[in-house]
């Protein structure tokens, strides 16, 4: 049984929040801001969003950067990342288990903060995991303003 408890419009994305009988799962976490830049070496780097904003159901691990589905269902994930681009491209990838679901990129040359935003709805089995990765030789920019955030929530169980 489901009922709508809120509708939020963020830029060009409309999020409808539901209340689920028998399972509540939602998280938002930001990159820490010990340094302004998170830099990957020559190989792909798992992104660990350590600054927990919300973690209902404790399905996101701020130690590993992985969201693990507690129940079989359909989930929505969204991320925002940033960098200061000057004639270069920023990339971020979202994975389900070992399968890359999306690789998004943004090119800019004005030397201002540029944002890359992605979202996807995934059907997951209990125990499946989702995480974000930074491709090799890429970087992200972050400050105490939380430019880089990873979020997800359960839409409904199956």
């Amino acid at each position: 049984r489901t009922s709508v408890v809120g509708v939020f419009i963020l830029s060009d994305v409309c999020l409808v929040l539901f209340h689920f009988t028998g399972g509540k799962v939602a998280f938002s976490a930001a990159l820490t801001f010990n340094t302004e830049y998170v830099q990957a070496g020559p190989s792909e780097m798992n992104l660990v969003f350590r600054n927990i904003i919300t973690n209902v159901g404790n399905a996101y691990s701020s130690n590993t950067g992985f969201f693990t589905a507690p129940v079989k269902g359909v989930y929505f994930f969204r991320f925002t990342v940033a960098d200061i681009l000057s004639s270069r491209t920023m990339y971020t990838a979202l994975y389900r288990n070992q399968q890359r679901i999306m690789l998004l990129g943004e090119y800019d040359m004005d030397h201002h903060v540029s944002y890359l935003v992605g979202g996807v709805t995934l059907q997951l089995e209990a125990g499946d995991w989702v995480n974000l990765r930074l491709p090799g030789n890429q970087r992200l920019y972050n400050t105490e303003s939380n430019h880089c955030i990873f979020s997800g929530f359960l839409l409904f169980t199956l």
Side-chain angles (χ1 to χ4, degrees), residues 20 38 62 66 71 79 82-83 89 96 106 118-119 124 135 154:
F20 298 96
V38 174
S62 61
F66 288 88
V71 295
F79 64 88
D83 194 7
T89 305
R96 173 182 52 208
E106 169 71 18
L124 300 177
L154 174 66

Side-chain angles (χ1 to χ4, degrees), residues 10-87:
L10 305 170
S11 184
D12 60 345
V13 177
C14 177
L15 300 177
V16 181
L17 298 182
F18 296 94
H19 170 72
F20 298 96
T21 303
K24 295 179 180 90
V25 180
F27 79 94
S28 283
L31 287 177
T32 56
F33 44 90
N34 299 354
T35 61
E36 284 187 329
Y37 292 99
V38 174
Q39 176 80 44
S43 59
E44 191 173 60
M45 176 181 130
N46 182 51
L47 289 170
V48 181
F49 294 78
R50 295 193 190 281
N51 183 11
I52 297 292
I53 298 166
T54 301
N55 197 9
V56 176
N58 295 313
Y60 177 77
S61 170
S62 61
N63 294 319
T64 65
F66 288 88
F67 169 86
T68 304
V71 295
K72 180 178 180 179
V74 176
Y75 295 80
F76 180 76
F77 297 92
R78 184 177 191 277
F79 64 88
T80 301
V81 293
D83 194 7
I84 297 176
L85 300 177
S86 181
S87 298

